[in-house]
Amino acid sequence: MAKTAFFKFAAAALMLLAGTGCSALFEMSGLSAPSLPASVKYLLFVLQDRSGEYLFFIGAVYVSLVLLKKHRWIGAGAVFLLGLVWLAFHLPVSLYLESLGVDSFAETKNFNLEEARFWLHTLRETIHPDFSLKKLAVYLVFSLLSFYAFQRLLARWERSRRHASLLKLCMAGVLVGLAFQHTSSKALAVYFDNSEKYLSTARNFDQPVPEVSVARSQPDLLVYIGESTSTMNMGVYGYPRPTTPRLSERARLDANLIVFEHVFATHAHTSRSLLEALSLGVDDGERFLPITQRKRVSVVDVLNKAGVASSLISNQGIGGSWDQASSVVFKNAHKLFRQKPNASATEADLVEKVWDHEFFGQQLDTLEVGHNTRTATFLHSYAGHGPYHANIPERFRKPVDGLFTQLDPAQIRGNASGEAGSIEEYDAAIRYVDYSLDQAINHVKQVARPLVLVYFSDHGDDVFLGLGHDSARFRHEMARVPFLIYFNDAARKENAGLYEKYRQLARQKETSTLAQLPATLMDLMGIGIQGAAKNAVVVTPVMGEKTVLPPIMVRDTADGTTFVNVNDFALLPPAVAGRKIIDKTDDDTRIYAAVRSGRMSVAQACQKTPVSFEGVSRGIMLAGCPYASFAEKKQ
């Protein structure tokens, strides 16, 4: 009787290992979940929720024991060590995989090897070992008991004795296979979902272009699209290092430059950000859908309808995540890439680099020859993307000042691990962006015809925590981007009302998102939607005008559709059958919105004295906190 009870219990344990749950164990033991002690409940929770973690480890133990019996000591040790590594890294890796969305997998399309290496480098700041001796002891005891039970079961079956080792290895293989399946199932489902959405985006952007009206005597446009440039590290936005000496001086002395202070990108990935920033919506009810699922009209197609010749000059090459935005938004524009079309990722790595300011300078000089029609020229830079030093000239690869030499890593990065080298490199890249943009402004300034430059970045980077711009690990600074408008003298003179309008809007300091960029570009060029056609597209307020801001960072993940809210009041998503919509607004963005609305004072937001340069910079970005407190402590 006792033997029968033992084997029933062992069978239930094996069913539990296979991921079928705890119900069989409850039924055979006569216990109910509410009657169990808290420690046992937690153990059962771990067995259910961490199946991918312990199944692999138990499978590794099985293989190790079989190898030990055959006196293959090295192989047994190596397999057991692999099980320990899996145990240490499974939880952080699986949590990261579960946070991936369709947008994350879209980055793998025609990826650039240099960008891939940089992304892998940023994972070091997220994937840390989570090792517990207590957990190891529990799993090891359970492994040994289950192995013994399985061995006893095999012993009762006479025909299995000759192949006992093979059957044990087969069981180990089943356990390891289940571990991989349980760990990656959600991520794989999202990946395959991405494949279809990647193909459907072009269809969603293939919408009728509305009829437009065009005002006379409006300026031409030069749109400079920055790369991975966060206002958190820009001196012109309050960052306490001289990363933008030229822009800072222009902001003080050149009234033609208009600086907008509170602008958000709509996504942390280039393609998703620019798909929204350079297109008009068709249905306002789609704002809680990822941008690739919305029906849109490219702003380039609207410009073409108005008789404006559009050109794209990209120093990024045609591969990588930028590929989708360039092929969809600019499908009807003249395009020029530094890299040849259809180049593989390996070929892209071999293309000789041409720095932004050189490449743009050459092309802009060519565009000025024989100019006889209205134009909108889009430049897309690469400086700012990691690895940061690799995309800027050597003469800019030195620290912007000596501040970090006076501080230890903890004073610079706070609780984040690692050295300050990546921050130094990023700040140096921002200083080069400042130089390259200043060169473009000088070009605009020297042009005789009315010309307006608009500068913004596709998204920012989290450099202090070393997360780059991975949307699965979103931080506030990944979406905080610069936005500048520069009127040359001719444009300011001939369009004085337009210039004054945007100067006043910048002074009002309303929060905006790049979803308002298409309306702004059309307004600057005097393009309006005619009559009944106004109902065919959604034209937002222009940058700086007060409005209810749409959600940003809208992503399809394994848990549902998530978004970030930059308003200080709740956004109510529509009820959609089969779609779970989740507010994933981070704490920093909530603080920022509360300060901007007046619900939280600057003093309240800044009451905690920062203990690191990262904390100071974050306080300046979120609430305009003073720099003096940390400076005094440092001394």
Side-chain angles (χ1 to χ4, degrees):
M1 192 74 181
K3 278 188 176 181
T4 302
F6 169 79
F7 285 116
K8 283 186 177 180
F9 188 87
L14 288 173
M15 290 173 67
L16 181 65
L17 287 176
T20 58
C22 299
S23 58
L25 186 57
F26 289 149
E27 289 173 5
M28 294 186 181
S29 63
L31 294 173
S32 61
S35 66
L36 294 173
S39 58
V40 177
K41 286 183 183 179
Y42 176 73
L43 175 60
L44 293 176
F45 160 77
V46 170
L47 291 175
Q48 281 185 307
D49 190 64
R50 304 280 176 81
S51 58
E53 181 176 72
Y54 67 77
L55 286 174
F56 185 97
F57 179 76
I58 294 172
V61 171
Y62 278 26
V63 175
S64 296
L65 291 173
V66 171
L67 293 175
L68 280 175
K69 190 173 181 180
K70 295 177 179 293
H71 304 291
R72 297 180 180 175
W73 315 110
I74 296 178
V79 173
F80 185 72
L81 181 61
L82 181 62
L84 292 178
V85 171
W86 179 275
L87 200 61
F89 287 95
H90 176 269
L91 181 59
V93 170
S94 61
L95 290 175
Y96 177 66
L97 288 176
E98 289 180 9
S99 70
L100 295 176
V102 171
D103 55 338
S104 305
F105 287 109
E107 295 289 288
T108 65
K109 299 287 185 179
N110 300 319
F111 66 90
N112 178 285
L113 289 180
E114 190 174 78
E115 293 182 8
R117 285 192 291 267
F118 177 73
W119 171 77
L120 289 172
H121 178 79
T122 70
L123 283 183
R124 297 188 308 177
E125 304 299 334
T126 300
I127 309 299
H128 299 290
D130 178 55
F131 192 79
S132 164
L133 288 176
K134 182 179 179 180
K135 183 167 62 175
L136 171 62
V138 171
Y139 284 177
L140 190 56
V141 169
F142 199 79
S143 302
L144 295 173
L145 288 176
S146 65
F147 184 82
Y148 175 72
F150 184 55
Q151 190 169 254
R152 291 294 302 271
L153 284 173
L154 292 176
R156 294 187 65 186
W157 185 27
E158 187 174 345
R159 302 171 76 182
S160 70
R161 292 174 185 172
R162 266 186 288 172
H163 306 290
S165 294
L166 179 61
L167 289 172
K168 291 171 189 175
L169 290 175
C170 288
M171 174 57 78
V174 169
L175 294 175
V176 170
L178 286 170
F180 279 111
Q181 191 273 329
H182 290 186
T183 301
S184 60
S185 57
K186 286 184 178 180
L188 286 174
V190 172
Y191 173 78
F192 289 116
D193 189 36
N194 165 70
S195 297
E196 165 57 25
K197 287 184 172 61
Y198 192 85
L199 296 173
S200 67
T201 301
R203 295 194 296 269
N204 289 333
F205 274 68
D206 190 18
Q207 304 298 319
V209 181
E211 294 298 323
V212 299
S213 59
V214 184
R216 295 182 178 180
S217 302
Q218 295 295 108
D220 288 345
L221 276 184
L222 177 63
V223 182
Y224 191 123
I225 305 172
E227 170 62 49
S228 304
T229 305
S230 173
T231 57
M232 183 172 178
N233 291 69
M234 298 184 74
V236 71
Y237 285 97
Y239 182 59
R241 297 190 80 189
T243 54
T244 57
R246 294 168 180 82
L247 286 177
S248 297
E249 184 177 15
R250 280 195 187 274
R252 290 193 307 269
L253 304 177
D254 190 344
N256 290 8
L257 179 65
I258 303 173
V259 180
F260 287 76
E261 294 187 15
H262 301 280
V263 178
F264 284 81
T266 59
H267 207 284
H269 293 165
T270 297
S271 185
R272 302 297 169 110
S273 173
L274 295 182
L275 282 172
E276 185 163 1
L278 297 174
S279 67
L280 296 166
V282 172
D283 181 357
D284 200 40
E286 294 182 333
R287 58 173 56 190
F288 285 93
L289 292 176
I291 186 62
T292 54
Q293 299 175 36
R294 304 182 212 171
K295 292 180 173 61
R296 309 286 290 186
V297 176
S298 166
V299 71
V300 171
D301 292 346
V302 175
L303 295 176
N304 288 345
K305 190 87 169 184
V308 177
S310 301
S311 300
L312 168 66
I313 301 173
S314 174
N315 200 27
Q316 296 222 351
I318 201 167
S321 63
W322 160 239
D323 180 32
Q324 189 175 31
S326 64
S327 60
V328 171
V329 174
F330 290 95
K331 65 180 182 294
N332 294 320
H334 172 71
K335 295 184 284 288
L336 176 65
F337 295 93
R338 169 180 55 85
Q339 175 188 318
K340 67 181 181 180
N342 303 318
S344 68
T346 304
E347 289 174 321
D349 260 14
L350 299 177
V351 174
E352 183 181 356
K353 290 185 183 296
V354 181
W355 311 122
D356 287 345
H357 75 283
E358 296 173 345
F359 185 66
F360 294 154
Q362 296 166 3
Q363 305 309 319
L364 289 175
D365 288 341
T366 303
L367 286 175
E368 291 305 317
V369 178
H371 178 277
N372 58 7
T373 186
R374 297 196 66 192
T375 62
T377 303
F378 295 80
L379 312 177
H380 195 187
S381 65
Y382 200 45
H385 200 290
Y388 305 119
H389 269 181
N391 297 308
I392 64 175
E394 187 173 355
R395 62 192 173 100
F396 287 90
R397 299 174 190 172
K398 58 183 179 181
V400 298
D401 62 18
L403 176 62
F404 286 0
T405 62
Q406 306 170 37
L407 307 172
D408 59 43
Q411 288 179 299
I412 298 170
R413 298 176 58 132
N415 294 328
S417 61
E419 299 296 323
S422 61
I423 307 170
E424 288 280 26
E425 291 184 11
Y426 186 68
D427 285 354
I430 299 298
R431 184 177 58 180
Y432 171 67
V433 169
D434 172 72
Y435 171 78
S436 180
L437 178 57
D438 187 67
Q439 295 296 299
I441 291 175
N442 283 334
H443 170 85
V444 172
K445 192 177 183 71
Q446 293 167 12
V447 172
R449 72 182 192 283
L451 181 60
V452 172
L453 178 143
V454 174
Y455 168 75
F456 67 95
S457 182
D458 51 2
H459 53 76
D461 251 26
D462 178 347
V463 66
F464 284 97
L465 296 183
L467 303 180
H469 52 268
D470 187 347
S471 63
R473 300 174 285 170
F474 176 74
R475 298 276 292 180
H476 182 86
E477 54 267 36
M478 295 182 190
R480 289 295 296 276
V481 294
F483 189 85
L484 314 173
I485 300 178
Y486 187 85
F487 284 71
N488 71 0
D489 290 338
R492 182 177 174 184
K493 180 179 179 181
E494 293 190 21
N495 306 97
L498 193 65
Y499 163 81
E500 191 58 35
K501 170 184 176 179
Y502 281 95
R503 191 154 194 83
Q504 290 303 320
L505 286 173
R507 286 173 177 169
Q508 292 171 15
K509 299 185 178 182
E510 295 288 346
T511 301
S512 301
T513 76
L514 292 182
Q516 296 163 251
L517 178 64
T520 304
L521 299 182
M522 292 168 59
D523 185 52
L524 288 170
M525 299 205 77
I527 300 171
I529 305 298
Q530 283 188 341
K534 290 180 179 179
N535 297 323
V537 293
V538 179
V539 181
T540 68
V542 301
M543 302 293 291
E545 288 184 333
K546 189 176 182 63
T547 186
V548 175
L549 298 167
I552 66 171
M553 295 299 303
V554 182
R555 311 172 60 233
D556 269 349
T557 70
D559 295 326
T561 301
T562 63
F563 70 91
V564 170
N565 179 14
V566 297
N567 302 282
D568 192 37
F569 50 82
L571 291 175
L572 300 177
V576 181
R579 182 182 289 271
K580 186 178 180 182
I581 303 178
I582 308 166
D583 186 340
K584 284 283 191 179
T585 305
D586 57 295
D587 290 340
D588 281 351
T589 302
R590 293 185 191 279
I591 293 171
Y592 167 86
V595 172
R596 295 292 302 144
S597 70
R599 185 170 59 84
M600 178 186 289
S601 69
V602 172
Q604 288 175 312
C606 306
Q607 63 182 344
K608 186 176 179 180
T609 303
V611 296
S612 67
F613 184 77
E614 185 269 345
V616 170
S617 303
R618 188 167 302 281
I620 293 171
M621 173 182 61
L622 297 179
C625 298
Y627 177 57
S629 57
F630 178 76
E632 292 168 1
K633 186 166 185 174
K634 173 176 71 71
Q635 294 170 354

